[in-house]
């Protein structure tokens, strides 16, 4: 059966970023190991990518693994790496079919080779896709990203007086992309956690209570509708 046309607000965010929080609690509520929560969270990602394509969102950035997440218990880290290994292989064809372009943001050089190769292969396969850019923040930290940007500005020999916000933005992993309009953190936690700290300076934030594995199409739609009601001022006073 064909899907009924969805009633979207006039203003749909071009770039949505998500902190996919609550996998561990989702698993705990069911008496399951934390990794079962991460697996359910991974399954959910497919639904959200599909919904983003349906709603006409052009950029989706997801926080998959932070530079701080290496400090989690060893079995959780290795389990997560196993999930990433599987997913980058298994989901690639589907992603390609959806017209999504995979892009990695973060430190790929520190990721094990087998995984690094899969990510690179995925980016190569999907590089001409135009419907959605999927930024996977993996081994990503916002402060680290700014440190890397400063280093590359210095390496490029930019004179101090020529450094400005545009130059910094052009040296971030997201160079050439619009900033996120809407950032969603699921599970009710209200923290930035080193995610897109430069790019999200003027983003609208929503903090739904739903745990990530249960955050589906309807919840995304509710967040977009909430965004549609917000008045963005960018530090200015709006004229009537
Ligand atoms: C936060 O929940 C979630 C993570 C640290 C991992 C997110 C990763 C996925 C959903 C895997 C899918 C991603 C890709 C690219 C395949 P938490 O463990 O902090 O939950 P808790 O706060 O309830 O303990």
């Amino acid at each position: 059966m064909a899907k009924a046309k969805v009633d979207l607000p006039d203003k749909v965010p071009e770039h949505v970023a998500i902190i996919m929080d609550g996998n561990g609690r989702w698993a705990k509520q069911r008496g399951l190991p934390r990794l079962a929560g991460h697996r359910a969270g991974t399954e959910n990602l497919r639904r959200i990518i599909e919904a983003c394509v349906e709603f006409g969102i052009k950029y989706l950035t997801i926080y998959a693994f932070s530079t701080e997440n290496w400090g989690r218990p060893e079995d959780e880290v290795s389990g997560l790496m196993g999930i990433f290994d599987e997913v980058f292989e298994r989901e690639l064809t589907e992603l390609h079919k959806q017209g999504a372009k995979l892009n990695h943001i973060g430190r790929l050089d520190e990721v094990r080779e087998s995984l690094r190769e899969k990510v690179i292969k995925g980016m190569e396969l999907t590089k001409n896709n135009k419907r959605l850019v999927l930024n996977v923040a993996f081994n990503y930290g916002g402060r680290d990203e700014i440190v890397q940007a400063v280093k590359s500005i210095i390496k490029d020999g930019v004179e101090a007086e020529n450094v400005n916000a545009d130059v910094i933005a052009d040296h971030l992993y997201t160079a050439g992309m619009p900033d996120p309009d809407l950032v969603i953190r699921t599970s009710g936690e209200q923290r930035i956690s080193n995610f897109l700290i430069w790019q999200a300076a003027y983003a609208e934030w929503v903090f739904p209570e739903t745990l990530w594995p249960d955050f589906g199409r309807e919840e995304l739609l509710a967040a977009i509708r909430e965004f549609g009601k917000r008045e963005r001022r960018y530090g200015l006073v709006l004229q009537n």
Side-chain angles (χ1 to χ4, degrees):
M1 204 174 71
K3 243 186 227 167
K5 202 166 166 347
V6 62
D7 187 16
L8 289 167
D10 295 340
K11 217 169 39 152
V12 170
E14 183 182 18
H15 186 168
V16 174
I18 308 183
I19 302 179
M20 308 179 289
D21 201 3
N23 294 345
R25 276 163 285 166
W26 184 93
K28 194 170 175 203
Q29 284 173 359
R30 288 159 180 78
L32 297 169
R34 291 179 58 80
L35 271 184
H38 293 313
R39 285 195 183 282
T42 306
E43 289 299 311
N44 188 44
L45 200 46
R46 199 183 306 145
R47 294 197 284 164
I48 292 299
I49 293 170
E50 258 180 51
C52 284
V53 170
E54 181 192 350
F55 301 156
I57 290 162
K58 291 292 174 199
Y59 296 83
L60 171 65
T61 301
I62 50 164
Y63 208 2
F65 195 85
S66 75
T67 44
E68 289 72 37
N69 286 153
W70 296 107
R72 291 194 174 204
E74 214 176 294
D75 57 341
E76 183 168 346
V77 171
S78 69
L80 270 169
M81 293 303 139
I83 292 178
F84 295 136
D85 246 327
E86 271 170 47
V87 169
F88 281 116
E89 193 148 309
R90 195 185 63 211
E91 299 294 330
L92 214 56
T93 322
E94 184 53 35
L95 209 59
H96 195 36
K97 240 180 18 208
Q98 294 270 345
K101 173 179 170 172
L102 175 69
N103 185 49
H104 171 264
I105 64 171
R107 295 283 286 274
L108 208 48
D109 55 319
E110 289 172 349
V111 170
R112 71 180 182 211
E113 202 183 344
S114 61
L115 193 46
R116 186 165 61 234
E117 281 171 359
K118 282 179 192 169
V119 175
I120 292 171
K121 197 175 131 203
M123 291 197 290
E124 183 58 31
L125 175 74
T126 60
K127 69 179 179 196
N128 295 320
N129 292 343
K130 299 273 185 285
R131 208 171 288 152
L132 172 77
V133 173
L134 174 65
N135 285 323
V136 179
F138 178 64
N139 194 24
Y140 171 88
R143 287 186 173 180
D144 184 61
E145 178 179 34
I146 294 171
V147 170
Q148 299 311 317
V150 171
K151 284 185 181 173
S152 75
I153 290 170
I154 293 169
K155 277 191 196 144
D156 286 352
V158 181
E159 296 292 335
E161 59 269 32
N162 293 329
V163 175
N164 56 34
D166 288 340
V167 170
I168 294 177
D170 286 346
H171 286 80
L172 298 174
Y173 300 125
T174 50
M177 299 184 201
D179 284 340
D181 305 291
L182 170 65
V183 186
I184 301 169
R185 182 174 191 145
T186 58
S187 88
E189 300 292 340
Q190 303 192 2
R191 284 188 297 277
I192 296 178
S193 299
N194 206 12
F195 185 48
L196 304 178
I197 52 177
W198 176 279
Q199 298 91 332
Y202 288 103
E204 295 295 326
W205 285 74
V206 298
F207 301 100
E209 294 290 327
T210 316
L211 303 177
W212 170 251
D214 293 329
F215 186 87
R217 178 181 177 278
E218 289 310 309
E219 285 77 14
L220 178 63
L221 195 51
I224 290 172
R225 287 185 175 140
E226 169 62 31
F227 172 82
K229 288 190 238 158
R230 302 266 179 101
E231 191 180 74
R232 301 181 81 189
R233 289 198 287 266
Y234 302 93
L236 306 173
V237 174
L238 288 192
Q239 312 289 328
N240 287 323

